[in-house]
Amino acid sequence: MFESIIEQIKDIQKIVFVTGAGISQESGIPTFRGKDGLWRNYNAMELATIDAFYKNPKLVWEWYNERRKNIFVAQPNLGHKAIAELEKYAEVVILTQNIDGLHQKAGSTKVLELHGSIVKIKCSVCDFKDEMITEFSEIPPLCKCGNILRPDVVWFGESLPQDVWQKAIIFSSQCDLMIIAGTSLVVSPANTLPIYAKQNNAILIEINPEKTEMSSEMDLIIRNTSASALPKFVSMFKEN
Ligand code: APR
């Protein structure tokens, strides 16, 4: 079974990765629901919803400023780097729930950020969007229109950017292999992407030290961390 999947994988061209917080865990960025996960120590409903933001924008900004500090010093790990290297051997698209930019920092060129980016900001009212160049001296910062600026990330209860989500569905529906690494697959709609891949008869592989909501749907499960598993996985393509 294992050998036959490995044989098929070597010739595969269209690969989609669905990644989550776990892939950056070995870069020193905490996950949300793991042992030291952020949502075990912080209340998501007080920090990652639009209601929380309107209630206490300063608190939400302070929390994102802290996370940004940690993310800015973080470096891509062997998992991010292996995925970037795989572009030499196959068509690779990454659909990530992470906002840390580490896939791009590792050199991956096709990354769709489903949940936005920690370096991007937008106005809570008008259409203004920008990249954050430096920290704001006063928080919450204001837009030229007078309303409050917010991190350009997707909070609980919010829709994903429609253009990004539509592309994510298309890539998932057309891939031959989907590798799901470092995500608990509990958050919708990203957790529906494997279903689109399955409809195209794609092979599904999970890389995660723990069981996930969709482990039973997988064709192959690698119970290891992404920084350990992915370099070995990519070396199979090099040998081909
Ligand atoms: N390598 C691979 N997987 C790992 C590693 C590792 N080194 N360490 C932990 N994991 C796995 C955990 O077992 C868990 O299944 O990563 C997963 C992380 O799950 P979550 O913390 O739920 O993160 P994620 O799935 O990305 O969360 C989705 O929830 O709050 C939101 O917006 C936030 O994008 C996030 C979304």
Side-chain angles (χ1 to χ4, degrees), residues 19-23 25-26 31-34 39 97-98 115 154 156 181-187 207-212 224-227:
T19 66
I23 199 154
Q25 186 264 340
E26 286 155 290
T31 65
F32 293 95
R33 298 172 184 83
W39 297 150
Q97 296 163 88
N98 296 348
H115 292 173
V154 177
F156 287 104
T183 172
S184 57
L185 289 176
V186 296
V187 172
I207 298 178
N208 196 315
E210 310 278 335
K211 194 168 178 276
T212 72
N224 204 340
T225 71
S226 43

PDB file of all heavy atoms in Angstrom, residues 19-23 25-26 31-34 39 97-98 115 154 156 181-187 207-212 224-227, ligand 1:
ATOM      1  N   THR A  19      -1.623  24.117   4.349  1.00  0.00           N
ATOM      2  CA  THR A  19      -0.804  24.194   5.567  1.00  0.00           C
ATOM      3  C   THR A  19      -1.488  25.026   6.646  1.00  0.00           C
ATOM      4  O   THR A  19      -2.370  25.841   6.373  1.00  0.00           O
ATOM      5  CB  THR A  19       0.595  24.771   5.279  1.00  0.00           C
ATOM      6  OG1 THR A  19       0.487  26.133   4.871  1.00  0.00           O
ATOM      7  CG2 THR A  19       1.325  23.976   4.224  1.00  0.00           C
ATOM      8  N   GLY A  20      -1.024  24.776   7.870  1.00  0.00           N
ATOM      9  CA  GLY A  20      -1.555  25.507   9.019  1.00  0.00           C
ATOM     10  C   GLY A  20      -0.448  25.765  10.025  1.00  0.00           C
ATOM     11  O   GLY A  20       0.739  25.527   9.742  1.00  0.00           O
ATOM     12  N   ALA A  21      -0.838  26.218  11.190  1.00  0.00           N
ATOM     13  CA  ALA A  21       0.109  26.689  12.207  1.00  0.00           C
ATOM     14  C   ALA A  21       1.221  25.687  12.515  1.00  0.00           C
ATOM     15  O   ALA A  21       2.349  26.077  12.818  1.00  0.00           O
ATOM     16  CB  ALA A  21      -0.662  27.019  13.479  1.00  0.00           C
ATOM     17  N   GLY A  22       0.918  24.382  12.420  1.00  0.00           N
ATOM     18  CA  GLY A  22       1.908  23.365  12.770  1.00  0.00           C
ATOM     19  C   GLY A  22       3.159  23.415  11.920  1.00  0.00           C
ATOM     20  O   GLY A  22       4.244  23.061  12.381  1.00  0.00           O
ATOM     21  N   ILE A  23       3.023  23.900  10.686  1.00  0.00           N
ATOM     22  CA  ILE A  23       4.213  23.912   9.821  1.00  0.00           C
ATOM     23  C   ILE A  23       5.210  24.978  10.285  1.00  0.00           C
ATOM     24  O   ILE A  23       6.404  24.887  10.024  1.00  0.00           O
ATOM     25  CB  ILE A  23       3.843  24.073   8.322  1.00  0.00           C
ATOM     26  CG1 ILE A  23       5.020  23.620   7.470  1.00  0.00           C
ATOM     27  CG2 ILE A  23       3.416  25.475   7.967  1.00  0.00           C
ATOM     28  CD1 ILE A  23       4.678  23.146   6.113  1.00  0.00           C
ATOM     29  N   GLN A  25       5.508  25.719  13.560  1.00  0.00           N
ATOM     30  CA  GLN A  25       5.788  25.445  14.977  1.00  0.00           C
ATOM     31  C   GLN A  25       7.291  25.271  15.209  1.00  0.00           C
ATOM     32  O   GLN A  25       7.841  25.776  16.183  1.00  0.00           O
ATOM     33  CB  GLN A  25       4.992  24.198  15.395  1.00  0.00           C
ATOM     34  CG  GLN A  25       5.054  23.853  16.868  1.00  0.00           C
ATOM     35  CD  GLN A  25       6.124  22.813  17.167  1.00  0.00           C
ATOM     36  OE1 GLN A  25       6.572  22.082  16.296  1.00  0.00           O
ATOM     37  NE2 GLN A  25       6.526  22.764  18.426  1.00  0.00           N
ATOM     38  N   GLU A  26       7.963  24.612  14.254  1.00  0.00           N
ATOM     39  CA  GLU A  26       9.409  24.393  14.419  1.00  0.00           C
ATOM     40  C   GLU A  26      10.225  25.637  14.045  1.00  0.00           C
ATOM     41  O   GLU A  26      11.446  25.619  14.104  1.00  0.00           O
ATOM     42  CB  GLU A  26       9.849  23.164  13.615  1.00  0.00           C
ATOM     43  CG  GLU A  26       9.380  21.875  14.301  1.00  0.00           C
ATOM     44  CD  GLU A  26       9.224  20.711  13.358  1.00  0.00           C
ATOM     45  OE1 GLU A  26       8.272  20.739  12.526  1.00  0.00           O
ATOM     46  OE2 GLU A  26      10.023  19.771  13.427  1.00  0.00           O
ATOM     47  N   THR A  31       1.267  27.194  17.794  1.00  0.00           N
ATOM     48  CA  THR A  31       0.031  26.838  17.087  1.00  0.00           C
ATOM     49  C   THR A  31      -1.149  27.451  17.863  1.00  0.00           C
ATOM     50  O   THR A  31      -0.950  28.177  18.838  1.00  0.00           O
ATOM     51  CB  THR A  31      -0.138  25.304  16.999  1.00  0.00           C
ATOM     52  OG1 THR A  31      -0.304  24.802  18.315  1.00  0.00           O
ATOM     53  CG2 THR A  31       1.047  24.648  16.318  1.00  0.00           C
ATOM     54  N   PHE A  32      -2.350  27.142  17.440  1.00  0.00           N
ATOM     55  CA  PHE A  32      -3.539  27.677  18.128  1.00  0.00           C
ATOM     56  C   PHE A  32      -4.117  26.688  19.129  1.00  0.00           C
ATOM     57  O   PHE A  32      -4.570  27.057  20.194  1.00  0.00           O
ATOM     58  CB  PHE A  32      -4.622  28.059  17.095  1.00  0.00           C
ATOM     59  CG  PHE A  32      -4.188  29.217  16.261  1.00  0.00           C
ATOM     60  CD1 PHE A  32      -3.582  29.017  15.035  1.00  0.00           C
ATOM     61  CD2 PHE A  32      -4.332  30.504  16.727  1.00  0.00           C
ATOM     62  CE1 PHE A  32      -3.137  30.079  14.278  1.00  0.00           C
ATOM     63  CE2 PHE A  32      -3.896  31.588  15.983  1.00  0.00           C
ATOM     64  CZ  PHE A  32      -3.295  31.368  14.751  1.00  0.00           C
ATOM     65  N   ARG A  33      -4.108  25.397  18.729  1.00  0.00           N
ATOM     66  CA  ARG A  33      -4.829  24.419  19.544  1.00  0.00           C
ATOM     67  C   ARG A  33      -3.932  23.328  20.113  1.00  0.00           C
ATOM     68  O   ARG A  33      -4.415  22.421  20.764  1.00  0.00           O
ATOM     69  CB  ARG A  33      -5.981  23.803  18.712  1.00  0.00           C
ATOM     70  CG  ARG A  33      -6.969  24.855  18.297  1.00  0.00           C
ATOM     71  CD  ARG A  33      -8.023  24.376  17.316  1.00  0.00           C
ATOM     72  NE  ARG A  33      -8.841  25.506  16.919  1.00  0.00           N
ATOM     73  CZ  ARG A  33      -8.530  26.381  15.971  1.00  0.00           C
ATOM     74  NH1 ARG A  33      -7.404  26.248  15.287  1.00  0.00           N
ATOM     75  NH2 ARG A  33      -9.316  27.394  15.691  1.00  0.00           N
ATOM     76  N   GLY A  34      -2.618  23.432  19.842  1.00  0.00           N
ATOM     77  CA  GLY A  34      -1.687  22.418  20.353  1.00  0.00           C
ATOM     78  C   GLY A  34      -1.407  22.629  21.836  1.00  0.00           C
ATOM     79  O   GLY A  34      -2.082  23.417  22.504  1.00  0.00           O
ATOM     80  N   TRP A  39      -4.829  29.573  21.534  1.00  0.00           N
ATOM     81  CA  TRP A  39      -6.224  29.571  22.018  1.00  0.00           C
ATOM     82  C   TRP A  39      -6.393  28.782  23.314  1.00  0.00           C
ATOM     83  O   TRP A  39      -7.475  28.664  23.841  1.00  0.00           O
ATOM     84  CB  TRP A  39      -7.189  29.061  20.956  1.00  0.00           C
ATOM     85  CG  TRP A  39      -7.265  29.881  19.705  1.00  0.00           C
ATOM     86  CD1 TRP A  39      -7.546  29.412  18.459  1.00  0.00           C
ATOM     87  CD2 TRP A  39      -7.098  31.305  19.543  1.00  0.00           C
ATOM     88  NE1 TRP A  39      -7.545  30.432  17.536  1.00  0.00           N
ATOM     89  CE2 TRP A  39      -7.276  31.608  18.180  1.00  0.00           C
ATOM     90  CE3 TRP A  39      -6.801  32.366  20.407  1.00  0.00           C
ATOM     91  CZ2 TRP A  39      -7.170  32.903  17.660  1.00  0.00           C
ATOM     92  CZ3 TRP A  39      -6.681  33.659  19.882  1.00  0.00           C
ATOM     93  CH2 TRP A  39      -6.874  33.902  18.543  1.00  0.00           C
ATOM     94  N   GLN A  97      -3.225  28.638   5.784  1.00  0.00           N
ATOM     95  CA  GLN A  97      -4.053  29.390   6.740  1.00  0.00           C
ATOM     96  C   GLN A  97      -3.161  30.312   7.575  1.00  0.00           C
ATOM     97  O   GLN A  97      -3.641  31.085   8.376  1.00  0.00           O
ATOM     98  CB  GLN A  97      -4.779  28.414   7.669  1.00  0.00           C
ATOM     99  CG  GLN A  97      -5.770  27.521   6.946  1.00  0.00           C
ATOM    100  CD  GLN A  97      -6.149  26.315   7.797  1.00  0.00           C
ATOM    101  OE1 GLN A  97      -7.075  26.374   8.587  1.00  0.00           O
ATOM    102  NE2 GLN A  97      -5.431  25.229   7.653  1.00  0.00           N
ATOM    103  N   ASN A  98      -1.855  30.203   7.379  1.00  0.00           N
ATOM    104  CA  ASN A  98      -0.935  31.001   8.194  1.00  0.00           C
ATOM    105  C   ASN A  98      -0.821  32.430   7.677  1.00  0.00           C
ATOM    106  O   ASN A  98      -0.906  32.670   6.479  1.00  0.00           O
ATOM    107  CB  ASN A  98       0.457  30.355   8.206  1.00  0.00           C
ATOM    108  CG  ASN A  98       0.417  28.992   8.865  1.00  0.00           C
ATOM    109  OD1 ASN A  98      -0.574  28.647   9.496  1.00  0.00           O
ATOM    110  ND2 ASN A  98       1.472  28.224   8.702  1.00  0.00           N
ATOM    111  N   HIS A 115      -6.097  33.255   5.106  1.00  0.00           N
ATOM    112  CA  HIS A 115      -6.515  34.043   6.269  1.00  0.00           C
ATOM    113  C   HIS A 115      -5.820  35.399   6.343  1.00  0.00           C
ATOM    114  O   HIS A 115      -5.754  36.006   7.409  1.00  0.00           O
ATOM    115  CB  HIS A 115      -6.273  33.244   7.560  1.00  0.00           C
ATOM    116  CG  HIS A 115      -7.168  32.049   7.691  1.00  0.00           C
ATOM    117  ND1 HIS A 115      -7.060  31.111   8.682  1.00  0.00           N
ATOM    118  CD2 HIS A 115      -8.232  31.645   6.932  1.00  0.00           C
ATOM    119  CE1 HIS A 115      -7.996  30.180   8.541  1.00  0.00           C
ATOM    120  NE2 HIS A 115      -8.713  30.474   7.477  1.00  0.00           N
ATOM    121  N   VAL A 154      -8.264  37.302   8.489  1.00  0.00           N
ATOM    122  CA  VAL A 154      -9.654  36.831   8.561  1.00  0.00           C
ATOM    123  C   VAL A 154      -9.939  36.385   9.997  1.00  0.00           C
ATOM    124  O   VAL A 154      -9.258  35.511  10.524  1.00  0.00           O
ATOM    125  CB  VAL A 154      -9.875  35.662   7.576  1.00  0.00           C
ATOM    126  CG1 VAL A 154     -11.294  35.107   7.699  1.00  0.00           C
ATOM    127  CG2 VAL A 154      -9.597  36.119   6.144  1.00  0.00           C
ATOM    128  N   PHE A 156     -12.680  35.073  13.145  1.00  0.00           N
ATOM    129  CA  PHE A 156     -13.810  34.144  13.292  1.00  0.00           C
ATOM    130  C   PHE A 156     -15.097  34.862  12.871  1.00  0.00           C
ATOM    131  O   PHE A 156     -15.329  36.006  13.250  1.00  0.00           O
ATOM    132  CB  PHE A 156     -13.932  33.665  14.733  1.00  0.00           C
ATOM    133  CG  PHE A 156     -12.847  32.690  15.107  1.00  0.00           C
ATOM    134  CD1 PHE A 156     -11.786  33.083  15.899  1.00  0.00           C
ATOM    135  CD2 PHE A 156     -12.882  31.378  14.635  1.00  0.00           C
ATOM    136  CE1 PHE A 156     -10.777  32.183  16.235  1.00  0.00           C
ATOM    137  CE2 PHE A 156     -11.877  30.476  14.960  1.00  0.00           C
ATOM    138  CZ  PHE A 156     -10.824  30.881  15.761  1.00  0.00           C
ATOM    139  N   ALA A 181      -0.484  19.618   5.787  1.00  0.00           N
ATOM    140  CA  ALA A 181       0.591  19.598   6.787  1.00  0.00           C
ATOM    141  C   ALA A 181       0.378  20.656   7.859  1.00  0.00           C
ATOM    142  O   ALA A 181       0.184  21.834   7.558  1.00  0.00           O
ATOM    143  CB  ALA A 181       1.938  19.833   6.097  1.00  0.00           C
ATOM    144  N   GLY A 182       0.383  20.204   9.118  1.00  0.00           N
ATOM    145  CA  GLY A 182       0.373  21.151  10.225  1.00  0.00           C
ATOM    146  C   GLY A 182      -0.925  21.893  10.440  1.00  0.00           C
ATOM    147  O   GLY A 182      -0.921  23.023  10.922  1.00  0.00           O
ATOM    148  N   THR A 183      -2.024  21.263  10.096  1.00  0.00           N
ATOM    149  CA  THR A 183      -3.316  21.896  10.415  1.00  0.00           C
ATOM    150  C   THR A 183      -4.247  20.872  11.065  1.00  0.00           C
ATOM    151  O   THR A 183      -4.265  19.701  10.665  1.00  0.00           O
ATOM    152  CB  THR A 183      -3.999  22.521   9.175  1.00  0.00           C
ATOM    153  OG1 THR A 183      -5.325  22.942   9.535  1.00  0.00           O
ATOM    154  CG2 THR A 183      -4.072  21.587   7.980  1.00  0.00           C
ATOM    155  N   SER A 184      -5.010  21.348  12.043  1.00  0.00           N
ATOM    156  CA  SER A 184      -5.957  20.462  12.729  1.00  0.00           C
ATOM    157  C   SER A 184      -7.209  20.228  11.879  1.00  0.00           C
ATOM    158  O   SER A 184      -8.025  19.378  12.210  1.00  0.00           O
ATOM    159  CB  SER A 184      -6.359  21.084  14.073  1.00  0.00           C
ATOM    160  OG  SER A 184      -6.909  22.369  13.858  1.00  0.00           O
ATOM    161  N   LEU A 185      -7.366  21.012  10.821  1.00  0.00           N
ATOM    162  CA  LEU A 185      -8.528  20.920   9.927  1.00  0.00           C
ATOM    163  C   LEU A 185      -9.846  21.077  10.682  1.00  0.00           C
ATOM    164  O   LEU A 185     -10.832  20.425  10.349  1.00  0.00           O
ATOM    165  CB  LEU A 185      -8.515  19.603   9.137  1.00  0.00           C
ATOM    166  CG  LEU A 185      -7.460  19.456   8.041  1.00  0.00           C
ATOM    167  CD1 LEU A 185      -7.518  18.056   7.418  1.00  0.00           C
ATOM    168  CD2 LEU A 185      -7.619  20.492   6.929  1.00  0.00           C
ATOM    169  N   VAL A 186      -9.846  21.932  11.685  1.00  0.00           N
ATOM    170  CA  VAL A 186     -11.117  22.160  12.382  1.00  0.00           C
ATOM    171  C   VAL A 186     -11.779  23.464  11.923  1.00  0.00           C
ATOM    172  O   VAL A 186     -12.933  23.716  12.249  1.00  0.00           O
ATOM    173  CB  VAL A 186     -10.988  22.178  13.933  1.00  0.00           C
ATOM    174  CG1 VAL A 186     -10.536  20.839  14.463  1.00  0.00           C
ATOM    175  CG2 VAL A 186     -10.082  23.289  14.420  1.00  0.00           C
ATOM    176  N   VAL A 187     -11.014  24.285  11.182  1.00  0.00           N
ATOM    177  CA  VAL A 187     -11.574  25.588  10.824  1.00  0.00           C
ATOM    178  C   VAL A 187     -12.087  25.578   9.385  1.00  0.00           C
ATOM    179  O   VAL A 187     -11.387  25.186   8.455  1.00  0.00           O
ATOM    180  CB  VAL A 187     -10.538  26.713  11.057  1.00  0.00           C
ATOM    181  CG1 VAL A 187     -11.032  28.049  10.520  1.00  0.00           C
ATOM    182  CG2 VAL A 187     -10.261  26.840  12.558  1.00  0.00           C
ATOM    183  N   ILE A 207       0.462  15.143   6.988  1.00  0.00           N
ATOM    184  CA  ILE A 207       1.710  15.172   7.761  1.00  0.00           C
ATOM    185  C   ILE A 207       1.403  15.919   9.047  1.00  0.00           C
ATOM    186  O   ILE A 207       1.139  17.131   9.043  1.00  0.00           O
ATOM    187  CB  ILE A 207       2.845  15.876   6.979  1.00  0.00           C
ATOM    188  CG1 ILE A 207       3.143  15.113   5.679  1.00  0.00           C
ATOM    189  CG2 ILE A 207       4.104  15.995   7.854  1.00  0.00           C
ATOM    190  CD1 ILE A 207       4.204  15.725   4.799  1.00  0.00           C
ATOM    191  N   ASN A 208       1.366  15.189  10.129  1.00  0.00           N
ATOM    192  CA  ASN A 208       0.958  15.782  11.403  1.00  0.00           C
ATOM    193  C   ASN A 208       1.297  14.790  12.521  1.00  0.00           C
ATOM    194  O   ASN A 208       0.967  13.601  12.393  1.00  0.00           O
ATOM    195  CB  ASN A 208      -0.563  16.040  11.373  1.00  0.00           C
ATOM    196  CG  ASN A 208      -1.023  16.992  12.451  1.00  0.00           C
ATOM    197  OD1 ASN A 208      -0.612  16.870  13.607  1.00  0.00           O
ATOM    198  ND2 ASN A 208      -1.881  17.926  12.099  1.00  0.00           N
ATOM    199  N   PRO A 209       1.928  15.236  13.592  1.00  0.00           N
ATOM    200  CA  PRO A 209       2.219  14.284  14.670  1.00  0.00           C
ATOM    201  C   PRO A 209       0.952  13.776  15.361  1.00  0.00           C
ATOM    202  O   PRO A 209       0.977  12.739  16.024  1.00  0.00           O
ATOM    203  CB  PRO A 209       3.067  15.088  15.666  1.00  0.00           C
ATOM    204  CG  PRO A 209       3.237  16.455  15.109  1.00  0.00           C
ATOM    205  CD  PRO A 209       2.454  16.582  13.846  1.00  0.00           C
ATOM    206  N   GLU A 210      -0.151  14.510  15.190  1.00  0.00           N
ATOM    207  CA  GLU A 210      -1.411  14.127  15.854  1.00  0.00           C
ATOM    208  C   GLU A 210      -2.470  13.787  14.813  1.00  0.00           C
ATOM    209  O   GLU A 210      -2.427  14.277  13.693  1.00  0.00           O
ATOM    210  CB  GLU A 210      -1.965  15.302  16.677  1.00  0.00           C
ATOM    211  CG  GLU A 210      -0.990  15.974  17.611  1.00  0.00           C
ATOM    212  CD  GLU A 210      -0.835  15.229  18.912  1.00  0.00           C
ATOM    213  OE1 GLU A 210      -1.782  14.504  19.277  1.00  0.00           O
ATOM    214  OE2 GLU A 210       0.238  15.362  19.537  1.00  0.00           O
ATOM    215  N   LYS A 211      -3.475  13.044  15.295  1.00  0.00           N
ATOM    216  CA  LYS A 211      -4.643  12.720  14.457  1.00  0.00           C
ATOM    217  C   LYS A 211      -5.425  14.018  14.200  1.00  0.00           C
ATOM    218  O   LYS A 211      -5.443  14.904  15.055  1.00  0.00           O
ATOM    219  CB  LYS A 211      -5.512  11.753  15.271  1.00  0.00           C
ATOM    220  CG  LYS A 211      -6.577  11.048  14.523  1.00  0.00           C
ATOM    221  CD  LYS A 211      -7.130   9.926  15.435  1.00  0.00           C
ATOM    222  CE  LYS A 211      -8.251   9.198  14.750  1.00  0.00           C
ATOM    223  NZ  LYS A 211      -9.536   9.809  14.882  1.00  0.00           N
ATOM    224  N   THR A 212      -6.062  14.121  13.027  1.00  0.00           N
ATOM    225  CA  THR A 212      -6.904  15.293  12.770  1.00  0.00           C
ATOM    226  C   THR A 212      -8.339  14.839  12.468  1.00  0.00           C
ATOM    227  O   THR A 212      -8.617  13.640  12.365  1.00  0.00           O
ATOM    228  CB  THR A 212      -6.409  16.111  11.553  1.00  0.00           C
ATOM    229  OG1 THR A 212      -6.709  15.365  10.368  1.00  0.00           O
ATOM    230  CG2 THR A 212      -4.935  16.415  11.637  1.00  0.00           C
ATOM    231  N   ASN A 224       4.548  12.577  11.872  1.00  0.00           N
ATOM    232  CA  ASN A 224       5.839  13.171  12.201  1.00  0.00           C
ATOM    233  C   ASN A 224       5.697  14.679  12.049  1.00  0.00           C
ATOM    234  O   ASN A 224       4.694  15.159  11.514  1.00  0.00           O
ATOM    235  CB  ASN A 224       6.893  12.629  11.211  1.00  0.00           C
ATOM    236  CG  ASN A 224       8.292  12.703  11.790  1.00  0.00           C
ATOM    237  OD1 ASN A 224       8.538  13.464  12.734  1.00  0.00           O
ATOM    238  ND2 ASN A 224       9.195  11.934  11.229  1.00  0.00           N
ATOM    239  N   THR A 225       6.694  15.409  12.474  1.00  0.00           N
ATOM    240  CA  THR A 225       6.618  16.862  12.299  1.00  0.00           C
ATOM    241  C   THR A 225       6.959  17.205  10.850  1.00  0.00           C
ATOM    242  O   THR A 225       7.621  16.422  10.152  1.00  0.00           O
ATOM    243  CB  THR A 225       7.595  17.598  13.240  1.00  0.00           C
ATOM    244  OG1 THR A 225       8.925  17.367  12.773  1.00  0.00           O
ATOM    245  CG2 THR A 225       7.434  17.147  14.677  1.00  0.00           C
ATOM    246  N   SER A 226       6.535  18.385  10.423  1.00  0.00           N
ATOM    247  CA  SER A 226       6.744  18.737   9.016  1.00  0.00           C
ATOM    248  C   SER A 226       8.218  18.953   8.699  1.00  0.00           C
ATOM    249  O   SER A 226       8.671  18.615   7.608  1.00  0.00           O
ATOM    250  CB  SER A 226       5.906  19.954   8.631  1.00  0.00           C
ATOM    251  OG  SER A 226       5.956  20.929   9.610  1.00  0.00           O
ATOM    252  N   ALA A 227       8.990  19.481   9.643  1.00  0.00           N
ATOM    253  CA  ALA A 227      10.413  19.722   9.362  1.00  0.00           C
ATOM    254  C   ALA A 227      11.186  18.403   9.249  1.00  0.00           C
ATOM    255  O   ALA A 227      12.224  18.349   8.590  1.00  0.00           O
ATOM    256  CB  ALA A 227      11.029  20.612  10.437  1.00  0.00           C
TER     257      ALA A 227
HETATM  258  N1  APR B   1       4.638  19.699  12.309  1.00  0.00           N
HETATM  259  C1  APR B   1       3.426  19.384  11.785  1.00  0.00           C
HETATM  260  N2  APR B   1       2.268  19.549  12.431  1.00  0.00           N
HETATM  261  C2  APR B   1       2.325  20.038  13.683  1.00  0.00           C
HETATM  262  C3  APR B   1       3.545  20.380  14.308  1.00  0.00           C
HETATM  263  C4  APR B   1       4.740  20.198  13.555  1.00  0.00           C
HETATM  264  N3  APR B   1       5.924  20.510  14.071  1.00  0.00           N
HETATM  265  N4  APR B   1       3.257  20.853  15.547  1.00  0.00           N
HETATM  266  C5  APR B   1       1.932  20.811  15.685  1.00  0.00           C
HETATM  267  N5  APR B   1       1.359  20.314  14.576  1.00  0.00           N
HETATM  268  C6  APR B   1      -0.065  20.125  14.263  1.00  0.00           C
HETATM  269  C7  APR B   1      -0.954  19.883  15.446  1.00  0.00           C
HETATM  270  O1  APR B   1      -1.008  18.488  15.765  1.00  0.00           O
HETATM  271  C8  APR B   1      -2.294  20.408  14.954  1.00  0.00           C
HETATM  272  O2  APR B   1      -3.034  19.385  14.295  1.00  0.00           O
HETATM  273  O3  APR B   1      -0.515  21.328  13.703  1.00  0.00           O
HETATM  274  C9  APR B   1      -1.902  21.459  13.935  1.00  0.00           C
HETATM  275  C10 APR B   1      -2.171  22.886  14.362  1.00  0.00           C
HETATM  276  O4  APR B   1      -3.545  23.076  14.492  1.00  0.00           O
HETATM  277  P1  APR B   1      -4.181  24.474  14.929  1.00  0.00           P
HETATM  278  O5  APR B   1      -3.445  25.000  16.103  1.00  0.00           O
HETATM  279  O6  APR B   1      -5.631  24.274  15.047  1.00  0.00           O
HETATM  280  O7  APR B   1      -3.799  25.442  13.706  1.00  0.00           O
HETATM  281  P2  APR B   1      -4.564  25.621  12.318  1.00  0.00           P
HETATM  282  O8  APR B   1      -5.136  24.334  11.852  1.00  0.00           O
HETATM  283  O9  APR B   1      -3.627  26.329  11.430  1.00  0.00           O
HETATM  284  O10 APR B   1      -5.752  26.596  12.729  1.00  0.00           O
HETATM  285  C11 APR B   1      -6.602  27.104  11.725  1.00  0.00           C
HETATM  286  O11 APR B   1      -7.529  28.610  13.319  1.00  0.00           O
HETATM  287  O12 APR B   1      -7.705  30.368  14.874  1.00  0.00           O
HETATM  288  C12 APR B   1      -7.492  29.982  13.644  1.00  0.00           C
HETATM  289  O13 APR B   1      -7.041  31.605  12.049  1.00  0.00           O
HETATM  290  C13 APR B   1      -6.397  30.655  12.865  1.00  0.00           C
HETATM  291  O14 APR B   1      -5.478  29.951  10.744  1.00  0.00           O
HETATM  292  C14 APR B   1      -5.830  29.515  12.036  1.00  0.00           C
HETATM  293  C15 APR B   1      -6.975  28.512  12.031  1.00  0.00           C
END
